[in-house]
């Protein structure tokens, strides 16, 4: 049965290559048809604009009867995507999957998810809470993450930079990723972020 | 949709929305247009669609399946069975329904039969072989079929009354208030709460409850000791009360004395266990327990 999966992926792959869309891209990982990398660019007028996000796509043996397993490998700050693991909460990747959907549709849906989050059905509760209660801080944080991890253009928020440097001074064993994750989790309140690091030590 | 799929929208070159193969890829396959969809999701292979339906019906294989795009329900046609297969199918389904009931009936029947047999054996044990056979033969069979199985049930129900626990608690509560009692049970002297200990009563109650809870709720223990009682009673009666004339009286005396003796030992043991809990002590780190102390802690029962 893996036969159907392989045949379909080959056909879909051609479709994406031929379609020549700029905002999404699909690549094979080491000639293994059942494991692919997708790229999407952040949609315009969102904090993700100009960023390039990688997703890892694993095709199950039972594809297309079951959905592909997709997760972000680029870190990003979004209510429906885990800021720690990149796991995505999207209905078409779960029970709303239909065999007529394609990897191209999945990538376009992820792009749409970046423009329109669903904070009421969150994957990352901390991000969703910030999205709902401190929306402008959420946008600044998402922008900062896109610039830091996905290469989005523009000057980095100097206030955030300062706080990261200060965090690293106080907790020298932490790396920059941890600092950003920790500060974002605590709405950039440096005291709480540091306190939490020492609590979990 | 782009190039490859766009071509598929005209009926001449169909494309399956499951495997994406076109007419050219597979000339043999049979096609179906099962819903209102037009364009790329109009055509699907019969085989592919059936596999999709199987996937959707994995949990419940009678569930209806709709087209994921246009939500039309798929109509699935099953060819009719011939009369012989129809009957076989009917019988098959009937057996499937009936077998859980039959299993339950067999289990219940076995339990009833075991209880009945146990009741009969108990009568023989308690009233002696000859008398027992006479009773059973004279009694109305219907009466026996109801009363015999209730014998083990009654034994278990009676066994579930924790009379020894009540006695133990009563003893504990009143022991300190009755100075005379201490003279009687001299071995326990000095261990009574309120005398040597200044233990808060909740601690005593908590330990008491914990110790008692353990055995009063052991179902297997209740079951075994309730069902063993007639046999043990008969044995005790035969060995200790051989002077008594009728086997019935002998066995009843045996049962009663066995229960009493066992109860006294049990109450004594439980009381000692609770006292031991009350006297336990956590050691300082690094302290070895010396023998004197060990004696002082645990050695009080060497009476």
């Amino acid at each position: 049965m893996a036969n159907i999966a392989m045949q379909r992926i080959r056909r879909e792959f051609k479709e994406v290559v031929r379609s020549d869309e700029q905002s999404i891209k699909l690549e094979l990982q080491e000639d293994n048809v059942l494991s692919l990398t997708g790229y999407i660019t952040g949609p315009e007028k969102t904090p993700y604009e100009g960023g390039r996000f990688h997703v890892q796509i694993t095709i199950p043996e039972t594809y297309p009867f079951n959905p592909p397993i997709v997760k972000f490998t680029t870190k990003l700050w979004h209510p429906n995507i885990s800021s720690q693991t990149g796991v995505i909460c999207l209905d078409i990747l779960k029970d709303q999957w239909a065999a007529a959907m394609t990897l191209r549709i999945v990538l376009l849906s992820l792009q749409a998810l970046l423009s329109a989050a669903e904070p009421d059905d969150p994957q990352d509760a901390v991000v969703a809470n910030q999205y709902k209660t401190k929306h402008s801080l959420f946008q600044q944080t998402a922008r900062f993450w896109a610039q830091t991890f996905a290469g989005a253009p523009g000057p980095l928020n100097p206030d955030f930079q300062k706080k990261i440097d200060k965090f690293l001074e106080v907790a020298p064993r932490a790396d920059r990723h941890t600092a950003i994750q920790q500060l974002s989790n605590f709405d950039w309140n440096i005291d709480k972020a540091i306190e939490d690091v020492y609590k979990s030590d | 949709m782009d190039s490859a799929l766009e071509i598929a929208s005209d009926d001449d070159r169909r494309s399956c929305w499951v495997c994406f193969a076109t007419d050219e890829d597979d000339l043999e396959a049979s096609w179906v247009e099962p819903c209102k969809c037009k364009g790329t999701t109009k055509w699907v292979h019969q085989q592919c669609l059936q596999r999709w339906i199987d996937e959707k019906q994995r949990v419940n294989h009678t569930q209806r399946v709709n087209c994921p795009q246009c939500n039309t329900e798929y109509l699935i046609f099953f060819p009719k069975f011939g009369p012989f297969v129809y009957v076989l199918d009917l019988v098959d389904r009937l057996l499937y329904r009936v077998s859980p009931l039959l299993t339950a009936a067999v289990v219940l029947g076995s339990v009833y039969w075991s209880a009945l047999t146990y009741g009969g054996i108990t009568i023989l044990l308690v009233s002696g072989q000859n008398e027992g056979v006479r009773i059973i033969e004279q009694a109305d069979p219907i009466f026996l079929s109801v009363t015999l199985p209730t014998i083990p049930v009654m034994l278990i129900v009676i066994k579930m009354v924790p009379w020894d626990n009540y006695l133990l608690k009563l003893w504990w509560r009143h022991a300190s208030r009755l100075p005379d009692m201490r003279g009687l049970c001299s071995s326990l002297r000095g261990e009574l709460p309120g005398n040597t200990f200044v233990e808060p009563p909740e601690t005593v109650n908590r330990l008491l409850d914990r110790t008692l809870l353990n055995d009063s709720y052991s179902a297997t223990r209740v079951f075994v000791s309730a069902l063993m009682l007639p046999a043990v009673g008969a044995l005790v009666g035969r060995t200790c009360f051989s002077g008594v004339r009728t086997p019935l009286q002998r066995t009843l005396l045996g049962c009663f004395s066995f229960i009493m003796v066992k109860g006294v030992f049990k109450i004594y043991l439980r009381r000692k266990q609770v006292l031991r809990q009350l006297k336990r002590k956590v050691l300082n780190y690094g302290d070895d327990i010396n023998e004197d102390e060990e004696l002082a802690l645990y050695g009080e029962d060497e009476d």
Side-chain angles (χ1 to χ4, degrees):
Chain A
M1 281 298 135
N3 232 346
I4 295 189
M6 303 257 230
Q7 277 178 18
R8 239 194 80 149
I9 294 301
R10 284 207 194 89
R11 291 186 181 116
E12 286 188 42
F13 195 71
K14 276 185 214 152
E15 178 204 4
V16 177
V17 171
R18 257 187 253 166
S19 75
D20 201 32
E21 268 155 318
Q22 296 301 310
S23 63
I24 58 168
K25 223 182 125 191
L26 204 56
E27 266 177 21
L28 293 178
Q29 277 176 9
E30 303 159 8
D31 289 341
N32 177 2
V33 188
L34 297 182
S35 164
L36 304 98
T37 310
Y39 302 92
I40 57 175
T41 48
E44 284 175 22
K45 290 175 189 147
T46 68
Y48 312 99
E49 182 173 354
R52 191 171 146 88
F53 300 89
H54 296 206
V55 290
Q56 183 195 321
I57 303 169
T58 312
I59 306 296
E61 295 269 299
T62 51
Y63 188 80
F65 303 102
N66 292 109
I69 300 151
V70 186
K71 73 177 209 182
F72 275 93
T73 45
T74 307
K75 287 172 82 62
L76 87 168
W77 191 250
H78 187 283
N80 304 105
I81 298 154
S82 165
S83 60
Q84 317 252 359
T85 61
V87 170
I88 305 161
C89 176
L90 182 63
D91 56 356
I92 64 157
L93 293 176
K94 291 171 186 160
D95 53 336
Q96 292 303 306
W97 169 254
M101 290 175 185
T102 61
L103 294 181
R104 181 173 159 270
I105 291 176
V106 168
L107 290 179
L108 290 174
S109 304
L110 287 179
Q111 221 174 13
L113 185 68
L114 293 191
S115 342
E118 289 280 353
D120 292 323
D121 185 19
Q123 176 73 37
D124 194 313
V126 175
V127 184
N129 189 38
Q130 194 186 64
Y131 183 97
K132 286 205 268 191
T133 57
K134 304 188 178 77
H135 195 72
S136 98
L137 187 66
F138 161 81
Q139 288 202 305
Q140 291 173 45
T141 308
R143 185 68 195 153
F144 191 84
W145 281 54
Q147 289 169 326
T148 310
F149 301 115
L156 288 167
N157 184 325
D159 181 39
F160 290 173
Q161 289 273 59
K162 234 182 276 169
K163 283 181 174 163
I164 292 166
D165 290 339
K166 200 169 160 208
F167 184 98
L168 292 173
E169 261 172 46
V170 184
R173 278 195 289 149
D175 58 8
R176 211 175 150 75
H177 280 200
T178 321
I180 296 173
Q181 176 86 57
Q182 204 61 23
L183 284 162
S184 305
N185 281 354
F186 288 94
D187 297 339
W188 297 90
N189 179 328
I190 187 153
D191 294 333
K192 281 188 189 165
I194 288 171
E195 193 183 311
D196 184 74
V197 163
Y198 281 102
K199 214 191 301 168
S200 55
D201 260 358
Chain B
M1 296 272 159
D2 298 275
S3 45
L5 295 175
E6 214 163 274
I7 307 165
S9 55
D10 32 301
D11 277 7
D12 300 344
R13 291 187 53 184
R14 299 173 289 194
S15 153
C16 167
W17 60 256
V18 173
C19 71
F20 285 14
T22 55
D23 272 331
E24 289 162 5
D25 295 312
D26 191 346
L27 297 168
E28 308 282 288
S30 77
W31 292 86
V32 57
E33 38 177 335
C35 59
K36 292 184 217 142
C37 285
K38 300 264 185 263
T40 52
T41 55
K42 179 174 183 179
W43 288 100
V44 60
H45 285 131
Q46 185 71 248
Q47 288 300 323
C48 291
L49 182 60
Q50 286 190 17
R51 173 106 196 268
W52 174 254
I53 290 171
D54 287 344
E55 201 68 35
K56 295 276 123 180
Q57 292 179 332
R58 197 196 291 230
V59 184
N60 168 10
H61 65 100
T62 54
Q63 197 193 325
R64 296 173 173 201
V65 182
N66 296 347
C67 167
Q69 281 76 236
C70 70
N71 213 26
T72 312
E73 189 187 330
Y74 294 133
L75 295 173
I76 303 166
F77 169 78
F78 290 93
K80 279 214 173 84
F81 286 137
F84 179 61
V85 184
Y86 177 78
V87 171
L88 280 183
D89 184 55
L90 215 61
V91 171
D92 183 53
R93 266 188 277 171
L94 193 72
L95 284 176
Y96 183 80
R97 290 259 177 93
V98 164
S99 44
L101 290 175
L102 282 179
T103 309
V106 167
V107 170
L108 281 179
S110 313
V111 170
Y112 172 79
W113 203 251
S114 307
L116 186 85
T117 315
Y118 178 88
I121 292 172
T122 306
I123 298 262
L124 292 184
L125 259 179
V126 169
S127 41
Q129 188 93 27
N130 302 335
E131 179 67 6
V133 169
R134 200 181 58 78
I135 293 174
I136 292 175
E137 274 175 354
Q138 280 181 359
D140 176 27
I142 295 172
F143 176 74
L144 279 181
S145 68
V146 175
T147 46
L148 288 184
T150 56
I151 290 175
V153 176
M154 289 314 289
L155 281 172
I156 290 171
V157 168
I158 292 168
K159 176 64 198 172
M160 276 160 70
V161 179
W163 60 276
D164 40 0
N165 289 356
Y166 293 135
L167 274 185
L168 180 57
K169 278 194 177 174
L170 212 64
W171 182 12
W172 211 291
R173 228 165 272 153
H174 296 288
S176 52
R177 289 186 217 147
L178 298 170
D180 297 359
M181 279 286 283
R182 271 187 242 159
L184 290 173
C185 22
S186 55
S187 68
L188 295 175
R189 188 143 63 152
E191 293 170 0
L192 300 171
N195 193 353
T196 46
F197 300 107
V198 194
E199 281 291 341
E202 314 95 73
T203 316
V204 177
N205 275 331
R206 186 170 53 80
L207 288 172
L208 207 58
D209 284 340
R210 201 181 63 181
T211 313
L212 298 183
L213 211 66
N214 280 343
D215 48 83
S216 55
Y217 286 98
S218 164
T220 49
R221 189 170 170 170
V222 169
F223 184 78
V224 169
S225 47
L227 296 191
M228 293 280 284
L229 183 66
V232 174
L235 192 73
V236 172
R238 214 169 293 165
T239 42
C240 305
F241 304 100
S242 45
V244 180
R245 209 154 25 98
T246 69
L248 178 65
Q249 285 169 336
R250 227 187 282 152
T251 309
L252 286 180
L253 269 174
C255 283
F256 186 73
S257 48
F258 173 71
I259 290 173
M260 283 302 126
V261 171
K262 201 189 94 182
V264 167
F265 277 125
K266 193 171 160 191
I267 292 172
Y268 181 72
L269 173 68
R270 292 286 177 260
R271 187 180 162 84
K272 280 292 184 187
Q273 285 172 335
V274 173
L275 283 170
R276 181 163 174 257
Q277 288 283 320
L278 284 173
K279 287 198 169 189
R280 76 196 153 158
K281 172 176 149 190
V282 179
L283 296 181
N284 286 322
Y285 178 73
D287 273 7
D288 280 331
I289 187 158
N290 62 49
E291 299 237 329
D292 293 345
E293 242 178 295
E294 191 164 13
L295 272 179
L297 280 174
Y298 301 117
E300 270 145 307
D301 295 338
E302 80 284 14
D303 38 13

